[in-house]
Amino acid sequence: MEEYILQHEDSARILDGAAIALFCDRRTMIFFEIGELISVCRVTGVPLDGKEEDALCFTGPDSLMGRQYAVLVPARHPDHAALCAALPETAAPQPYQKRVCGHTGPHRH
């Protein structure tokens, strides 16, 4: 599963109440069907700019490639409130845990 922390210059849009579109780095778009999300919760202690902050976290496959993502939307992000309103929490709040590589994938020699 890949982790992505939404940057301040990125944007998120709810499309017809059924999908989320993330616009990242001016050229990248990631789409998620809301009905396909695995979990939605609040995460505490996400490290951002040398500080810790709460964030909304949703996990699920992107609609185009099927890759699994954990997307973190910091509380200070302009789209945080809209996403919180559109995505009801399905799991209890949890502390942030950095995802690390287990070095078991096909890239291993």
Side-chain angles (χ1 to χ4, degrees):
M1 180 177 306
E2 294 191 40
E3 179 178 281
Y4 186 74
I5 299 176
L6 210 61
Q7 303 299 308
H8 188 76
E9 58 274 5
D10 298 341
S11 64
R13 299 288 177 261
I14 304 296
L15 306 174
D16 296 327
I20 302 166
L22 301 181
F23 300 93
C24 317
D25 303 328
R26 294 189 196 172
R27 290 186 240 173
T28 304
M29 292 187 299
I30 308 171
F31 293 94
F32 298 90
E33 296 291 330
I34 291 175
E36 297 291 319
L37 295 180
I38 296 166
S39 69
V40 178
C41 69
R42 186 172 47 86
V43 176
T44 59
V46 178
L48 293 166
D49 301 328
K51 300 175 186 172
E52 291 187 353
E53 186 172 324
D54 290 353
L56 175 71
C57 178
F58 63 88
T59 59
D62 75 84
S63 298
L64 300 176
M65 303 296 285
R67 295 169 82 181
Q68 295 289 325
Y69 280 91
V71 178
L72 294 146
V73 184
R76 65 179 163 182
H77 192 279
D79 298 321
H80 181 266
L83 287 170
C84 285
L87 302 175
E89 292 186 27
T90 61
Q94 57 187 337
Y96 176 76
Q97 293 182 351
K98 183 176 175 67
R99 300 185 194 296
V100 295
C101 179
H103 299 290
T104 58
H107 62 281
R108 189 98 197 209
H109 297 289

